[in-house]
Amino acid sequence: MTVLVIAEHNNSELHAATLAAITAATQISDAVNLLIAGNDCSSVAKAAARVQGVSRVLLADAPAYEHQLAENVAPLVVRLAEGHTHLLMPATANGKNLMPRVAALLDVAQLSDIIAIKSTDCFLRPIYAGNVIATVQSKDSLKVVTVRATAFEPANAEGGNAAIDQVETSEDLGLCQWVRDDVTESTRPDLTQAEVVVSGGRGLGSAENFQLLEALADKLGAAIGASRAAVDAGFVSNDLQVGQTGKVVAPKLYIAVGISGAIQHLAGMKESKVIVAVNKDEDAPIFQIADYGIVGDLFDILPALSAELDRSVNRP
Amino acid sequence: MKVLVAVKRVVDYNVKVRPNGDGSDVEIANAKMSMNPFDEIAVEEAVRMKEAGTATEAVAISLGEAACQDVVRTALAMGMDRGVLVETDERLEPLTVAKLLAAIVKREQFDLVILGKQAIDDDSNQTGQMLAALLGWPQGTFASHVAVDDDRVQVTRETDTGSQTLSFQLPGVVTSDLRLNEPRYVKLPNIMKAKKKPLEKITPMELDVDISTHLAIIAVAEPTQRSGGIKVADAKELVEKLRNEARVI
C-alpha cells in the first residue's frame, strides 16, 4: 500500500495543513509519497523532503500548475494515481476544489473531511454540521480522501530525508484562465494555524466595530475569525468565516465575541482547547460549550479585557 | 444560454439531527425538510440571469424520492422556468448525482450548470466538481461573483486567503458560495403559478446510469460532547483564570 498526498502550498512554502495530511497518511501506510504540483516551487519540494514520514517527493514543476487550477492539476494526479491505494489532500479550499474532480475522473467516490482513520478502508467524518459522526467504508480499490487538518497532529517538518523525483508535466489545457488572486493582507497568523483566535459575530453590529477585536487580537498575537452571520452582514470577508461552511479551527484559545453559537458555527471551533464566550444574552447556546463565559455588553468588556491584558503583561 | 440548477432536499438547517436508536443512520423521519441553502443561492443566480436576459431558459432539477419535487416547486416559485425530478428511493452518492446530471446535460445541451457548493446534510462539497470532471468542463467553485459576457463567464471564488478570479468559455460549472447573492423570498402568487409550470419525472434507468453505491455507512454516532464551564464576573477574573487556571495566555 502506498499513499499519495497532494500538498497544499503557495509555490514558496509548504502549508502546515499538508503536515496533518501526512500524519493521516502514515496511519494508513509507511509508504507515503508527496506530490508538489506548482510552478517554480523547488523550494517547497526541498522542504517537503525533510518532513518526517515522507518516502518520496514527486515534483511537478510547470507553469500550468502555478494557480492550482483543478482543470490542469486533476489530470496530473490521475496519471500519478497508478501504484497508489490512497490519494489524500488536506480539506483546504484547494483540496475541496481539486479532489472531487480527481475522484470523478477515476470513477471512485470521495470521502470528504475525515477526522479519523479506523482502517485502510474505513474512516470517520462529520456530517450534519458535526452533529453526527459517520463511520464510512469505501468499496473502491482506490480511496480519494480529504483530511481535516485540525484532527491530525502535524508531522514533524524536520528529520526526514526523502528523494525528490521530477515527474512529467503537461501544458496548460486552456480550459480555464486565471485572471487574478486578491489576497487579504494581514500581519496576523493564519486563522487555521493560530494558537489564539478572536472571533466576532452579529453582536459586533458593524464592520467598524470589528476594529475593536483588533486591539484584543494584537495583545494576544491572535488571528481574527467571524461567524457566518458577520460575513453575511458584510462586516468582514469570507476567508475569516469559521464554521460548517467556512474554516475549521482548533486553537489553544478561542474567544467568541457577540456570537450566539449556532450549531453551524460550533462545527468550526468546538475542538478548540479553551473556549471563552462574551455575550449579552445569558441564554446564548455558546455558553453551553464555553469554558469561561462573561455575560455583558461586549463594548464594555472588550476594552476592559485589553486593559487587563496590558496589566498582566507587566506583572512581576 | 440554457442554465441548469441542481437543488437538494435536506433537513432544515434549524433541526438538530441525531443518530437513530441503533446507530445505523440518522433519525430524520419527521424532520422539517427544506431546499439546501446554497442551492437557493444557485437558483437565485439563475433567475437573475434570466431577468437580465443572459439566460434564455432556467431549469431546476432534483434527484431522489418523490418528495424532492417540493424543492423543485420552490425553485419554480422563485422564477425557474421548468423542473425535472430524477426519481429514485435509493441513496444517491455525489458521484452518482454527478453522473445523472451529466446525462441530463448531454440530453438537453445546457451551457451552464449552477450548484450549491455543499449540501448541509452530508457536507460533502463534491458534486459540482465531479460533474465538471465527467463533462470535461471548466469549474468555478465557491463563487462569490459571476459575470456572464456572451459565451464567457468570469467567476470570483472564495479561497482560504481571499479570493481568486477565473475566466472560462462556456459550457461550464459554477458552485455557489454564501456571498454570491441573497435569495428572494417566495411570494404566495408565485407559489400558485409554480404549480402550473412543467415538471418532468424521469428515472435513473431511463438515463442509463448505474446508481450502485461506492460507500457504505457503517454507523453514525454523536460526537463527544463538550461540557459547559463557568461564568466569570468580569475581564479581570477572566484574564486571571486564563493565565493561572487554563494557562493558555
Side-chain angles (χ1 to χ4, degrees):
Chain A
M1 270 192 307
T2 307
V3 183
L4 178 63
V5 177
I6 294 95
E8 170 76 34
H9 66 91
N10 60 2
N11 292 316
S12 59
E13 284 174 14
L14 198 62
H15 194 280
T18 307
L19 301 177
I22 290 167
T23 298
T26 57
Q27 292 179 13
I28 296 167
S29 169
D30 290 336
V32 176
N33 295 334
L34 179 62
L35 170 65
I36 313 290
N39 189 31
D40 206 4
C41 56
S42 57
S43 63
V44 183
K46 284 184 192 129
R50 294 197 301 271
V51 178
Q52 271 185 18
V54 175
S55 325
R56 200 156 64 100
V57 173
L58 309 179
L59 173 60
D61 197 337
Y65 310 132
E66 178 163 9
H67 304 293
Q68 302 294 324
L69 297 184
E71 293 82 350
N72 289 336
V73 180
L76 170 74
V77 177
V78 167
R79 181 155 50 79
L80 296 171
E82 200 182 322
H84 295 97
T85 51
H86 299 72
L87 308 180
L88 265 59
M89 187 165 181
T92 53
N94 281 329
K96 292 171 183 172
N97 184 47
L98 173 67
M99 294 307 267
R101 192 167 179 111
V102 169
L105 291 173
L106 292 162
D107 195 27
V108 299
Q110 177 182 302
L111 296 112
S112 296
D113 218 14
I114 64 153
I115 56 168
I117 297 166
K118 280 195 82 174
S119 69
T120 56
D121 65 355
C122 205
F123 307 85
L124 264 54
R125 57 176 304 264
I127 55 176
Y128 291 96
N131 272 321
V132 179
I133 306 298
T135 305
V136 186
Q137 184 171 36
S138 166
K139 298 182 245 177
D140 292 313
S141 56
L142 178 69
K143 279 82 176 161
V144 174
V145 177
T146 60
V147 177
R148 177 172 289 195
T150 54
F152 296 87
E153 287 294 317
N156 199 334
E158 299 294 336
N161 184 23
I164 301 175
D165 294 345
Q166 303 259 356
V167 299
E168 195 185 323
T169 60
S170 300
E171 298 286 308
D172 186 345
L173 293 173
L175 265 179
C176 186
Q177 188 194 340
W178 174 83
V179 179
R180 66 173 184 276
D181 285 330
D182 295 298
V183 176
T184 309
E185 294 297 338
S186 173
T187 53
R188 300 194 181 284
D190 181 336
L191 177 55
T192 58
Q193 306 300 326
E195 295 216 321
V196 182
V197 173
V198 178
S199 273
R202 204 196 305 270
L204 266 297
S206 72
E208 291 70 41
N209 287 343
F210 248 80
Q211 301 294 328
L212 294 171
L213 293 186
E214 302 274 346
L216 179 59
D218 282 343
K219 305 238 183 302
L220 294 166
I224 289 191
S227 69
R228 172 178 168 171
V231 174
D232 272 354
F235 299 169
V236 289
S237 63
N238 188 69
D239 52 296
L240 299 191
Q241 192 201 151
V242 172
Q244 179 190 19
T245 63
K247 288 177 177 159
V248 178
V249 301
K252 265 169 45 184
L253 173 61
Y254 188 91
I255 304 181
V257 181
I259 292 176
S260 62
I263 187 73
Q264 289 82 2
H265 183 73
L266 305 188
M269 45 68 79
K270 66 181 177 186
E271 303 303 323
S272 303
K273 186 159 169 265
V274 173
I275 296 173
V276 171
V278 178
N279 206 295
K280 66 177 182 217
D281 174 10
E282 64 177 320
D283 296 322
I286 189 80
F287 287 123
Q288 291 167 19
I289 63 146
D291 299 285
Y292 302 105
I294 305 187
V295 180
D297 187 340
L298 65 92
F299 297 105
D300 296 332
I301 292 164
L302 279 177
L305 254 180
S306 290
E308 201 57 45
L309 284 164
D310 274 342
R311 238 193 302 280
S312 69
V313 167
N314 297 329
R315 75 185 191 275
Chain B
M1 180 178 74
K2 272 178 75 172
V3 183
L4 180 68
V5 176
V7 293
K8 185 174 186 183
R9 179 175 177 266
V10 297
V11 175
D12 188 84
Y13 76 100
N14 277 316
V15 176
K16 185 167 164 37
V17 173
R18 290 198 168 81
N20 64 7
D22 64 0
S24 61
D25 207 340
V26 289
E27 182 60 63
I28 56 169
N30 296 308
K32 180 178 184 236
M33 306 296 282
S34 302
M35 188 191 298
N36 180 43
F38 286 101
D39 303 349
E40 285 183 4
I41 297 171
V43 169
E44 176 67 30
E45 195 67 12
V47 172
R48 288 185 191 187
M49 287 174 181
K50 195 79 216 304
E51 290 166 348
T54 48
T56 50
E57 190 183 28
V59 179
I61 184 169
S62 192
L63 309 94
E65 58 190 54
C68 293
Q69 63 186 289
D70 296 351
V71 290
V72 178
R73 289 287 175 203
T74 305
L76 296 178
M78 287 175 73
M80 302 294 280
D81 296 309
R82 62 183 168 90
V84 178
L85 173 66
V86 179
E87 193 173 344
T88 173
D89 289 335
E90 299 299 316
R91 181 171 65 85
L92 298 177
E93 295 171 351
L95 180 62
T96 314
V97 173
K99 286 177 180 177
L100 291 164
L101 289 174
I104 292 283
V105 166
K106 283 176 186 158
R107 191 186 70 161
E108 295 204 33
Q109 303 292 318
F110 285 96
D111 303 292
L112 175 65
V113 185
I114 313 178
L115 308 88
K117 76 161 181 180
Q118 170 176 347
I120 60 164
D121 50 3
D122 66 3
D123 284 327
S124 285
N125 191 337
Q126 299 173 4
T127 308
Q129 297 89 312
M130 288 180 158
L131 175 63
L134 296 175
L135 294 168
W137 288 6
Q139 65 189 48
T141 52
F142 327 145
S144 61
H145 186 75
V146 177
V148 181
D149 182 12
D150 199 18
D151 66 342
R152 282 197 81 82
V153 56
Q154 185 158 307
V155 179
T156 301
R157 313 174 51 235
E158 308 279 17
T159 66
D160 286 338
T161 54
S163 66
Q164 177 182 62
T165 302
L166 304 172
S167 168
F168 53 78
Q169 191 160 1
L170 295 172
V173 172
V174 167
T175 73
S176 57
D177 214 319
L178 285 179
R179 296 195 299 174
L180 183 57
N181 60 50
E182 205 167 306
R184 67 195 64 193
Y185 286 104
V186 177
K187 297 192 185 88
L188 189 60
N190 291 342
I191 295 175
M192 304 310 289
K193 264 190 255 175
K195 289 184 177 158
K196 298 199 183 85
K197 291 183 178 178
L199 197 164
E200 177 198 3
K201 289 181 187 171
I202 191 166
T203 64
M205 199 185 286
E206 287 171 280
L207 290 167
D208 197 22
V209 172
D210 172 15
I211 61 167
S212 56
T213 58
H214 294 239
L215 302 173
I217 297 169
I218 305 296
V220 298
E222 290 209 46
T224 46
Q225 299 295 333
R226 216 188 153 101
S227 52
I230 57 164
K231 297 255 171 59
V232 294
D234 53 22
K236 185 164 189 283
E237 189 185 353
L238 175 63
V239 170
E240 192 274 321
K241 295 275 189 201
L242 290 178
R243 202 199 310 148
N244 300 325
E245 191 176 87
R247 296 175 188 276
V248 287
I249 58 172

